[in-house]
Amino acid sequence: MTFGTGDINGIGVFWDKHGDDTYLSLLEPAYGQSRLEGVTGLRELMLTLGLFVDGGGKDNYLLLPETDPQNKLPDTALNTQSLATNPVAGNDRTWCRPTKPRYVKMAYGCGIDAQ
């Protein structure tokens, strides 16, 4: 889970007011997502919300290579020029995504990167 994740009927908010930022994630979805596991009974009726807000600046959303089975950062410096761009989150974009691992009616994940 990364920035702005709502997990199991919780609310997660990430807010960066302004500035030029580089965000790194190992997997997509990232940046404003909701997650539920073992949904039964009331859990499916209660809100789970993940919200990611970047208020401005020139930002980069990059995906780290999936080479380490323990999802650790490499010991050496990263060359960000060689990393893939996140296919959903991005500079000057708005995005919403379904709940992981499956769609649940009261679970939402959204993000915005404002100009």
Side-chain angles (χ1 to χ4, degrees):
M1 295 183 292
T2 61
F3 312 102
T5 297
D7 190 31
I8 309 176
N9 301 118
I11 297 174
V13 177
F14 175 87
W15 176 42
D16 179 70
K17 191 172 180 181
H18 56 79
D20 298 341
D21 304 297
T22 297
Y23 298 104
L24 301 172
S25 67
L26 288 167
L27 302 170
E28 173 59 36
Y31 319 117
Q33 64 176 322
S34 61
R35 231 176 55 100
L36 286 170
E37 293 180 13
V39 178
T40 60
L42 290 177
R43 285 220 185 268
E44 204 156 8
L45 302 174
M46 296 169 58
L47 178 67
T48 300
L49 176 65
L51 183 62
F52 177 95
V53 179
D54 187 293
K58 182 169 174 32
D59 305 307
N60 295 301
Y61 295 81
L62 304 173
L63 293 173
L64 292 167
E66 296 180 50
T67 56
D68 185 347
Q70 295 181 350
N71 293 337
K72 292 182 180 179
L73 290 173
D75 292 333
T76 58
L78 285 173
N79 176 4
T80 57
Q81 301 297 322
S82 67
L83 298 178
T85 301
N86 187 294
V88 176
N91 202 46
D92 301 331
R93 287 190 197 168
T94 301
W95 58 92
C96 289
R97 54 177 41 99
T99 306
K100 293 293 181 182
R102 66 177 180 83
Y103 174 77
V104 176
K105 186 176 183 179
M106 290 297 294
Y108 308 96
C110 293
I112 184 170
D113 182 301
Q115 293 182 2

